[in-house]
């Protein structure tokens, strides 16, 4: 009886949450949606649009799962959504929320297409060479993907730390804020 009265009087809207915890919730929600989208996209690309061997399909899925482009793009977008809604920055519109992620994902796709397209024009051998040895283009694609994902992750980390400092009432003038503003100031 006592528990029922407590639950009946519980109002989640009356709970006080810090801006940092709300920001974390927004980021987790956006990344979760991006993971679902990436999963569906990868399944469609591998099993529906790609008609190759099962081994090739599974290998491609494993490699694609190592490079979380969509979740990183969603995390970057969450910084700008929170900057607009939690920090009440009127200069942040839809374009400034989406643009950094579009640039990140577009650059990732462009680099991979550039590597594989130039390889296809110069070589007619299989992606895996004779005897299943990795070719140079496979290694170059892996390195380019790794570089782009690390760059996006670093951008998110520096921007996120600066935002946490602002939300906690700090000035955001730490090393991470300085690097974020200096490296990617045109996107902020």
């Amino acid at each position: 009886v006592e528990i029922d009265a407590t639950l009946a009087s519980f109002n989640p809207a009356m709970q006080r949450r810090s801006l940092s915890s709300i920001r974390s919730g927004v980021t987790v929600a956006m990344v979760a949606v991006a993971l679902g989208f990436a999963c569906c996209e990868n399944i469609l690309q591998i099993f529906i649009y790609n008609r190759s061997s099962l081994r090739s399909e599974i290998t491609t899925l494993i490699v694609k799962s190592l490079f979380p482009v969509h979740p990183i793009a969603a995390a970057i977008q969450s910084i700008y959504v929170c900057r607009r809604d939690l920090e009440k920055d009127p200069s942040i519109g839809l374009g400034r929320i989406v643009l950094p992620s579009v640039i990140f994902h577009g650059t990732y796709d462009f680099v991979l297409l550039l590597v594989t397209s130039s390889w296809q024009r110069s070589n007619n051998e299989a992606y895996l060479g004779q005897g299943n040895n990795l070719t140079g283009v496979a290694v170059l694609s892996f390195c380019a993907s790794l570089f782009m994902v690390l760059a996006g992750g670093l951008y998110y980390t520096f921007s996120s730390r600066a935002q946490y400092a602002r939300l906690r009432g700090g000035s955001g003038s730490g090393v991470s804020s300085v690097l974020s503003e200096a490296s990617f100031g045109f996107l902020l």
Side-chain angles (χ1 to χ4, degrees):
V1 175
E2 190 175 313
I3 294 174
D4 292 336
T6 304
L7 289 176
S9 65
F10 177 71
N11 185 356
M14 297 303 293
Q15 286 191 335
R16 300 285 179 217
R17 292 181 184 92
S18 70
L19 291 177
S20 294
S21 68
I22 294 170
R23 183 214 178 277
S24 296
V26 169
T27 302
V28 167
M30 291 181 75
V31 168
V33 170
L35 280 169
F37 172 77
C39 180
C40 292
E41 182 185 52
N42 289 341
I43 288 171
L44 283 174
Q45 285 179 351
I46 300 303
F47 294 117
I48 304 235
Y49 299 121
N50 184 7
R51 301 288 183 191
S52 58
S53 70
L54 180 62
R55 180 174 182 232
S56 172
E57 290 172 345
I58 291 173
T59 302
T60 304
L61 275 176
I62 290 170
V63 170
K64 282 177 141 291
S65 70
L66 294 175
F67 302 110
V69 175
H70 291 111
I72 291 174
I76 291 170
Q77 287 177 358
S78 75
I79 290 172
Y80 293 97
V81 167
C82 292
R83 189 167 168 184
R84 180 192 65 194
D85 296 342
L86 298 178
E87 295 181 47
K88 306 293 185 207
D89 187 348
S91 67
I92 305 293
L94 182 61
R96 287 191 74 188
I97 291 171
V98 175
L99 183 64
S101 293
V102 168
I103 291 172
F104 167 66
H105 196 309
T107 305
Y108 176 84
D109 289 342
F110 176 75
V111 167
L112 288 182
L113 285 173
L114 186 67
V115 168
T116 57
S117 177
S118 64
W119 168 77
Q120 287 175 350
R121 285 193 302 266
S122 62
N123 295 324
N124 289 328
E125 62 191 33
Y127 192 72
L128 289 174
Q130 275 33 3
N132 289 332
N133 295 325
L134 288 175
T135 62
V137 73
V139 173
L140 186 59
S141 294
F142 181 82
C143 291
S145 296
L146 183 63
F147 173 77
M148 287 304 301
V149 167
L150 289 176
L154 285 173
Y155 175 74
Y156 169 74
T157 300
F158 292 139
S159 298
S160 177
R161 287 182 181 170
Q163 186 172 55
Y164 272 124
R166 288 191 305 269
L167 289 175
R168 288 189 194 119
S171 64
S173 60
V175 173
S176 63
S177 176
V178 171
L179 286 173
S180 174
E181 298 291 332
S183 301
F184 302 99
F186 68 95
L187 294 177
L188 296 174

